[in-house]
């Protein structure tokens, strides 16, 4: 019997002519039985494994081929809940993405950031709901980010529907790496609501929270050379932590309110700019003498809008192309500033020796038209909101093309410190709202042109000299201001005397040359006389 089975198998293999095809139909239960009995005690070990394995395989195949679709339909009837996973891009991916964006965008991780946005949204919702939390140091900004521990659930109500969120950490298909996700579970009736409204709402809110929690930055541009290579780095930054707000900015209240209203309107009108097909940007020109608070105003604007600052040093930019590269890397919600535009670039240089619109400064070949084109057109493509600020001490020197309305939407004159501005400084430095010595200070400030920077400096000195006594501080201030007023008057008198002396010298020089001319004609006349003789 055993011989028969072995022979049959051998014959079947041979018939196949070397190929490993076995004609199974030639096997009979008898020959199979003979084989099994020949295997002897090994069978007792293999049989339970086969028994356990074969039905599972069979069941799986049957389930996959036949039952799966039906089972799904059945399950849907029994369990109407749908889940959506928002996966963490993964440690490796995240690292790559982070560095990619850091180099491209000078530091902010941008783009597809759904996982972080959802986490931020949930951290606001879950810290009051979930009982087991995890706190991690925030990648950007202050403090800790609180999130759910794995396996925790929180419920979120949206338009009357309940959404459940849980944090899961699962092994990925194919084994190996684990992947963390935020899992949303909802009733299938709310499918459209979730896709069309809830998820966009979660992302929008999460983005706002991430934005609000981040640490703001002050960027400055590097020399053009350093970003011409592949590993370019156009911007360097420090964390921006300037304490100035509009509350502590000394200027006429009505003017200040107008600027704040303008910024508010700008921030709210994204939809309007989109509909009108205009880039969402606004330009401000700050002009006034040194020390009147132009740079301070920019810090107050950035704090008010919660924007980053990009401080463009134009003399470091070699040409239009580099300027374009530089500006294209600025992120949305930022203030781009070009300080002292009249000094960093020779806007009034001899037009005869340069091509039309070319700006020269420190070897820079940035042209006015290049600058204006970027300001006008560049950011329409990137769609974000941006504020552009130019500052100058000499508005009269600027090229009209640069400051015409529409380009610079608002011209803001920063002026000398008068009574109203002084009230703010007194509050900032001495924490006092009213005092009988204010009148004396107002008198001086009304007559004399003293900058807020000078008044602030006097107040600092006053504070140091008299500790916390407001009256002696203000007396010190009045003395100091009187001294400065006298210095100012002296400087003005000296300048006037100098101008007069120069004018006199010039007049004398003119007289001398006229006299020479006269002498010359006299001689000539004499000669004439002589000839006549
Ligand atoms: N309007 C103001 N309100 C509050 N503080 C001011 C104001 N103006 C000037 N200061 C004080 O004076 C200092 C110098 O002012 P700031 O640098 O803003 O002047 P600026 O107009 O930018 O001068 P520059 O033209 O030289 O750049 C500030 O650090 C601030 O302390
Ligand atoms: Mg300044």
């Amino acid at each position: 019997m055993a011989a028969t089975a072995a022979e049959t198998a051998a014959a079947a293999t041979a018939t196949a002519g070397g190929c490993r095809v076995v004609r199974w139909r030639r096997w009979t239960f008898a020959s199979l039985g003979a084989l099994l009995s020949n295997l002897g005690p090994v069978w007792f070990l293999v049989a339970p494994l086969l028994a356990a394995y074969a039905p599972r395989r069979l069941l799986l195949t049957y389930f996959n081929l036949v039952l799966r679709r039906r089972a799904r339909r059945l399950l849907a009837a029994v369990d109407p809940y749908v889940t959506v996973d928002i996966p963490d891009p993964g440690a490796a991916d995240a690292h790559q993405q982070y560095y990619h964006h850091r180099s491209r965008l000078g530091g902010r991780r941008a783009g597809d950031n759904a996982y972080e946005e959802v986490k931020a949204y949930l951290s606001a919702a879950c810290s009051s709901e979930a009982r087991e939390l995890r706190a991690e140091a925030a990648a950007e900004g202050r403090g800790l980010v609180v999130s759910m521990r794995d396996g925790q659930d929180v419920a979120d109500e949206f338009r009357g529907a309940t959404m459940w969120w849980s944090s899961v950490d699962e092994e990925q298909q194919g084994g190996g790496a684990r992947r963390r996700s935020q899992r949303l579970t909802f009733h299938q009736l709310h499918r459209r609501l979730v896709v069309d409204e809830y998820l966009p709402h979660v992302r929008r809110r999460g983005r706002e929270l991430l934005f609000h929690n981040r640490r703001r930055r002050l960027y400055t541009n590097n020399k053009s050379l350093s970003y011409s290579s592949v590993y370019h780095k156009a911007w360097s930054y420090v964390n921006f932590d300037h304490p100035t707000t509009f509350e502590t900015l000394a200027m006429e209240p009505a003017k200040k309110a107008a600027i704040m209203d303008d910024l508010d309107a700008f921030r709210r009108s994204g939809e309007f700019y989109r509909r009108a097909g205009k880039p969402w940007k606004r330009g401000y020109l700050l002009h006034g003498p040194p020390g009147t608070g132009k740079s301070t105003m920019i810090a107050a604007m950035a704090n008010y809008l919660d924007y980053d600052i990009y401080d463009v040093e134009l003399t470091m930019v070699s040409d239009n192309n580099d300027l374009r590269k530089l500006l294209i890397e600025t992120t949305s919600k930022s203030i781009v500033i070009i300080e002292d535009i009249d000094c960093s670039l020779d806007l009034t240089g001899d037009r005869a020796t340069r091509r039309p619109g070319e700006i020269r400064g420190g070897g820079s070949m940035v042209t006015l038209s290049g600058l204006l084109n970027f300001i006008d057109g560049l950011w329409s493509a990137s769609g974000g909101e941006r504020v552009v600020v130019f500052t100058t001490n000499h508005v009269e020197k600027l090229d009209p093309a640069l400051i015409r309305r529409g380009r610079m939407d608002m011209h803001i004159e920063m002026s000398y410190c008068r009574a109203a501005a002084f009230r703010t400084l007194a509050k900032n430095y001495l924490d006092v709202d009213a005092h009988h010595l204010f009148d004396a200070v107002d008198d001086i400030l009304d007559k004399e042109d003293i900058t807020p920077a000078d008044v602030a400096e006097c107040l600092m000195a006053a504070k140091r000299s008299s500790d916390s006594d407001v009256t002696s501080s203000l007396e010190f201030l009045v003395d100091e201001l009187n001294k400065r007023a006298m210095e100012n008057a002296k400087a003005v008198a000296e300048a006037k005397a100098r101008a007069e002396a120069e004018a006199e010298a010039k007049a004398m020089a003119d007289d001398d040359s006229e006299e020479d001319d006269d002498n010359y004609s006299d001689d000539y006349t004499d000669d004439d006389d002589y000839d006549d003789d």
Side-chain angles (χ1 to χ4, degrees), residues 112-179:
D112 191 17
N113 214 0
Y115 180 79
E116 294 300 329
E117 286 159 8
V118 169
K119 235 173 90 176
Y121 175 84
L122 291 177
S123 84
C126 74
S127 44
S128 57
E129 277 247 350
R131 294 187 159 265
E132 290 180 34
L133 302 169
R134 179 178 46 211
E136 297 159 293
E140 289 268 314
R142 304 150 268 226
L144 295 167
V145 173
V146 177
S147 57
M148 281 180 286
R149 223 187 278 162
D150 296 338
Q152 282 280 296
D153 286 301
V154 284
D156 188 23
E157 292 290 322
F158 183 74
R159 307 249 165 102
T162 308
M163 314 288 172
W164 286 273
W165 284 98
S166 57
S167 179
V168 290
D169 185 7
E170 288 176 335
E171 199 165 291
Q172 274 182 278
Q173 264 189 349
R178 302 187 72 78
R179 174 158 280 200

